Amino acid sequence: MNVHNIMEETVSERVKQMYVQVQNTKPRWFTCSCEQCQLDTITYVLNRVPPRYVVSGRGMTHNFSMDNKQLIADIDLLIYEGMRAVSTVQRPYHDNAPAVQEENYPAFNFPTIFSSVFDGVSFVPLYGADVTLLLDGKPVEMVDYTWQNPVATNEKSKGVFSFWPKPVQAEKAGENKVFHFTVKVECPEYDTVSCNVDIPLVSEEKPRTSINTTYSLKVQDLFLFPNTYEDPNDEA
């Protein structure tokens, strides 16, 4: 069974279209439209929109995703933000970038980790919450700068957050290990919530250098309650 995140195709298509549009107008902040910059923008947006997993053909996914006008408007705004963010990053090269050298050491490769944050009283997505992924009490390093830790939930992402931890070097391929993560959520005027996530992995021959939308882990939804909230069921 092939599970596919339809947002990947939708975002990739919109990013290419918007780079053409912005390149024609050439605003002052726009510095480059190379393939790497476009890929960084695609990653920036995919980290901030809820994934939509389906088992279907490409034609069906295209029609499903592109017909949602509000979704496309949210994506376009995120693309514009992503393009500006990517343009501010100084690189020693762009169009003439050398090929990425693959690293060949054995490594534990993590899935992308995602979930949602809700108001525990109204059950609506909670915006403005800071979500941190911890390992052994310390924030986990992400694959690259386009993935943030901590990350803030916002209206565009509908309260969804996601992480992609950087691979950890192993002694050899085929090694078994369980990683004990903690997801911590903080928000002003709400009680802090944490949950533990255990991920058993088998080390592979080398680190993964590209994201696999079928290799992801959905952790439990997290509900935050206002720090002034009183549960009526707690009456003496």
Side-chain angles (χ1 to χ4, degrees):
M1 178 183 298
N2 292 322
V3 180
H4 182 66
N5 178 11
I6 64 174
M7 299 309 300
E8 184 175 357
E9 293 177 2
T10 300
V11 170
S12 297
E13 182 176 340
R14 297 297 293 180
V15 165
K16 293 177 182 177
Q17 293 173 357
M18 289 192 67
Y19 261 90
V20 172
Q21 296 173 9
V22 173
Q23 190 170 16
N24 290 334
T25 59
K26 295 182 178 179
R28 291 184 178 181
W29 56 264
F30 187 71
T31 58
C32 183
S33 61
C34 73
E35 182 180 2
Q36 185 59 53
C37 287
Q38 293 191 37
L39 288 173
D40 285 347
T41 302
I42 291 170
T43 304
Y44 179 96
V45 177
L46 286 174
N47 292 343
R48 291 162 174 79
V49 295
R52 294 171 181 249
Y53 293 102
V54 295
V55 181
S56 66
R58 288 178 176 266
M60 177 180 175
T61 62
H62 180 274
N63 292 334
F64 174 82
S65 58
M66 296 299 288
D67 285 344
N68 189 325
K69 295 182 179 180
Q70 183 57 54
L71 175 62
I72 296 303
D74 291 342
I75 289 174
D76 286 350
L77 181 58
L78 281 170
I79 291 173
Y80 189 76
E81 291 178 1
M83 293 171 69
R84 293 185 67 105
V86 169
S87 293
T88 63
V89 177
Q90 298 297 321
R91 295 188 179 92
Y93 48 75
H94 278 87
D95 292 307
N96 297 321
V100 176
Q101 299 296 320
E102 291 191 359
E103 299 181 277
N104 292 317
Y105 59 82
F108 292 100
N109 291 303
F110 297 100
T112 53
I113 302 169
F114 71 98
S115 190
S116 302
V117 180
F118 296 93
D119 183 296
V121 178
S122 63
F123 299 103
V124 299
L126 185 61
Y127 310 137
D130 289 327
V131 187
T132 306
L133 183 66
L134 304 168
L135 181 63
D136 298 326
K138 299 179 180 179
V140 179
E141 184 177 358
M142 296 290 103
V143 168
D144 58 44
Y145 77 95
T146 62
W147 295 80
Q148 299 176 338
N149 186 25
V151 62
T153 61
N154 56 65
E155 187 173 0
K156 303 183 193 71
S157 68
K158 306 298 188 275
V160 173
F161 62 86
S162 60
F163 299 104
W164 188 16
K166 182 178 180 179
V168 171
Q169 187 168 354
E171 294 183 0
K172 60 181 180 180
E175 182 181 354
N176 292 281
K177 185 174 181 178
V178 179
F179 291 84
H180 305 284
F181 291 96
T182 299
V183 178
K184 182 179 180 180
V185 187
E186 300 173 289
C187 189
E189 301 181 358
Y190 285 81
D191 291 331
T192 298
V193 169
S194 297
C195 75
N196 296 321
V197 181
D198 293 340
I199 303 180
L201 292 178
V202 178
S203 59
E204 301 176 41
E205 293 290 343
K206 58 184 179 180
R208 297 192 184 194
T209 57
S210 60
I211 192 169
N212 182 347
T213 56
T214 66
Y215 187 50
S216 60
L217 175 65
K218 169 69 166 65
V219 301
Q220 68 182 60
D221 291 331
L222 298 166
F223 295 85
L224 271 66
F225 290 86
N227 48 34
T228 57
Y229 176 72
E230 295 183 5
D231 191 338
N233 295 321
D234 290 341
E235 293 181 0

